Amino acid sequence: MSTIDPRPSVGITSIGLSLPSLALPLSELAKLRGEDPGKYLYGLGCCEMALCAGDEGVVELATTAAERALARWSGDLQDIGLIAVGTESALDMSRPLSAWVADRLGLRGAVRSYEVKHACYGGTLALKQAAEWQLAGASGGKAALVIAADVALYAPLDPGEPTQGAGAVAMIIEGSLTQRPAVATIDPTSHAWSEPAFDFWRPVGEEFPRVDGPFSLDCYKRGAEHCLTQWIGERTAVDALAELEALCFHVPFPKMVKKAVLHCAEAFGLEESEASDLFSQKVDPTMDWNRHCGNAYTASLWIAVASALAGMTEGCRIAAFSYGSGFGAELLTLTAGSQAAEGPWVDDIETDFARRQTIDAANYELLRGLQMAQTA
Ligand code: CAA
């Protein structure tokens, strides 16, 4: 007797992105810090960092991304039954960031509203919870609004300073027994790995994170290898990877991703040329937007996923590796939906890139001075 899978097809039915209004070319930061620009441009793989102006912050980024996702969605606010914000730029130890965003959106009533924290992994966890809420049949036919939003700043002169950035990605998550999600279906099975570690953390009351750079790279590589190994299972790595049109990563900075890819390729026994092709064909192109906005923590992976999905033929598959210091990691797989080929969310990025103001080293110093004075 054949069985029918009663589970809905769950996934992303709309995406909105938002970047702040200022950009600093890394060549300007290099000038300020007395570094060769090649270190930032080629050594780290970063071109520009996105920075918030004095009147912008994580709430504005998250709200704009959500408004854009809602504007290109067929439903309206009354159809949202859950709002979850993944962030490590929380404004309060108790009040969730989702309350600020819901307030701006005018979202209230029969809605579950909360914040998720696990360093850069928080947005993915919020998305997984929303997808599982749909799969469990607990949504009552409503949609979830998931937002990954962060402003990533290090102390001036910190070695992490060239990897700063900011941005937000909002995604509407729905389930249906009859239709595939328009943007991407999220496979219910994913592959997680966690190990308690102090690789990057921000003690309560401290404004900037502390990071053990080399250790965080080790943890990130280990997380990627374990998650990919589970996903590959009994197959060969070559066969499994051939299934994918793109392999997206959390992007602290593009060189870190390259190191993890080469590490995994070696662990899986790929030839050097296979490893290099894997990176250049399936990973590097997904980081085009990241290179121009820097590390947006929880949003970084989803910026890469949004970039990879845009222009993709329906039915193509991608994998998304999420990493959060502390540390937790998870590999998700997704299938492009009918709207991916058109990729309307590209407008958000093109709009924000076109209208943002490029600042120089002197204005960056002024901005950091002002921002530090405001938060002191
Ligand atoms: N031209 C080209 N390349 C050059 C160069 C030049 N003139 N000068 C230096 N380089 C290269 C170096 O060779 C090096 O490349 P390799 O790593 O391939 O050898 C690269 O530039 C960087 O140089 P250094 O290692 O000397 O740089 P540094 O000591 O100043 O470290 C850093 C910079 C790598 C960014 C380090 O600060 C770091 O690791 N930072 C944090 C990493 C991080 O973001 N961790 C968290 C990850 S997860 C996350 O996002 C957090 C979360 O969950 C919230």
Side-chain angles (χ1 to χ4, degrees):
M1 200 172 78
S2 67
T3 54
I4 297 168
D5 188 349
R7 292 181 304 180
S9 181
V10 171
I12 306 166
T13 53
S14 184
I15 299 188
L17 298 101
S18 169
L19 299 178
S21 62
L22 301 178
L24 176 74
L26 270 291
S27 52
E28 285 293 307
L29 183 68
K31 208 189 288 174
L32 200 59
R33 299 295 173 235
E35 295 281 3
D36 180 334
K39 173 174 173 179
Y40 298 160
L41 297 175
Y42 308 111
L44 304 181
C46 309
C47 299
E48 292 173 293
M49 68 173 71
L51 292 164
C52 291
D55 58 352
E56 288 175 316
V58 69
V59 175
E60 287 70 29
L61 292 173
T63 305
T64 301
E67 285 168 346
R68 288 170 167 177
L70 288 163
R72 58 173 67 98
W73 181 52
S74 55
D76 58 33
L77 275 187
Q78 282 90 320
D79 302 317
I80 301 290
L82 184 157
I83 173 171
V85 182
T87 190
E88 51 185 300
S89 311
L91 300 182
D92 190 283
M93 286 292 292
S94 298
R95 191 177 198 257
L97 197 61
S98 59
W100 270 272
V101 179
D103 198 22
R104 297 273 180 101
L105 295 174
L107 181 62
R108 57 183 60 228
V111 183
R112 182 182 290 168
S113 167
Y114 61 100
E115 178 183 302
V116 181
K117 180 184 72 159
H118 190 319
C120 304
Y121 181 27
T124 303
L125 284 168
L127 178 122
K128 277 296 291 178
Q129 288 175 338
E132 286 163 3
W133 178 69
Q134 293 289 2
L135 272 173
S139 69
K142 297 241 174 160
L145 173 59
V146 170
I147 307 166
D150 270 301
V151 175
L153 287 175
Y154 291 82
L157 299 169
D158 187 286
E161 192 181 22
T163 71
Q164 295 174 146
V169 181
M171 292 167 279
I172 294 177
I173 308 299
E174 291 182 275
S176 167
L177 287 168
T178 55
Q179 276 183 319
R180 297 215 178 275
V183 176
T185 304
I186 303 167
D187 290 332
T189 303
S190 53
H191 306 279
W193 188 265
S194 66
E195 291 179 28
F198 275 97
D199 58 326
F200 171 111
W201 69 107
R202 180 156 68 88
V204 172
E206 290 191 16
E207 188 180 352
F208 300 115
R210 300 183 192 183
V211 55
D212 180 339
F215 182 48
S216 78
L217 174 62
D218 283 349
C219 292
Y220 181 91
K221 289 197 285 199
R222 216 166 43 249
E225 184 185 338
H226 280 292
C227 291
L228 280 162
T229 300
Q230 291 176 60
W231 170 69
I232 291 167
E234 299 300 310
R235 299 170 292 176
T236 68
V238 170
D239 285 350
L241 291 164
E243 247 184 41
L244 302 176
E245 195 68 18
L247 175 53
C248 303
F249 280 76
H250 165 50
V251 190
F253 53 95
K255 182 61 128 352
M256 188 159 168
V257 174
K258 184 173 187 179
K259 287 185 178 188
V261 171
L262 297 185
H263 165 84
C264 291
E266 191 181 349
F268 301 149
L270 299 193
E271 303 284 335
E272 227 169 88
S273 63
E274 289 173 319
S276 156
D277 287 352
L278 171 65
F279 181 73
S280 64
Q281 292 167 12
K282 299 195 173 177
V283 183
D284 202 36
T286 70
M287 299 191 286
D288 283 350
W289 295 345
N290 303 88
R291 262 185 272 282
H292 294 276
C293 66
N295 189 359
Y297 290 160
T298 53
S300 277
L301 167 66
W302 296 100
I303 290 171
V305 168
S307 167
L309 283 171
M312 195 169 269
T313 306
E314 183 175 4
C316 287
R317 289 175 57 69
I318 69 169
F321 171 70
S322 187
Y323 176 85
S325 293
F327 84 84
E330 191 156 345
L331 186 86
L332 278 59
T333 46
L334 301 94
T335 305
S338 59
Q339 209 188 78
E342 189 197 340
W345 53 90
V346 173
D347 284 355
D348 300 344
I349 287 288
E350 286 178 350
T351 302
D352 289 350
F353 279 154
R355 76 174 171 206
R356 71 185 185 173
Q357 185 195 343
T358 300
I359 60 169
D360 61 11
N363 276 309
Y364 171 70
E365 283 214 294
L366 203 60
L367 183 77
R368 289 305 303 267
L370 282 181
Q371 280 178 344
M372 291 179 67
Q374 274 171 3
T375 50

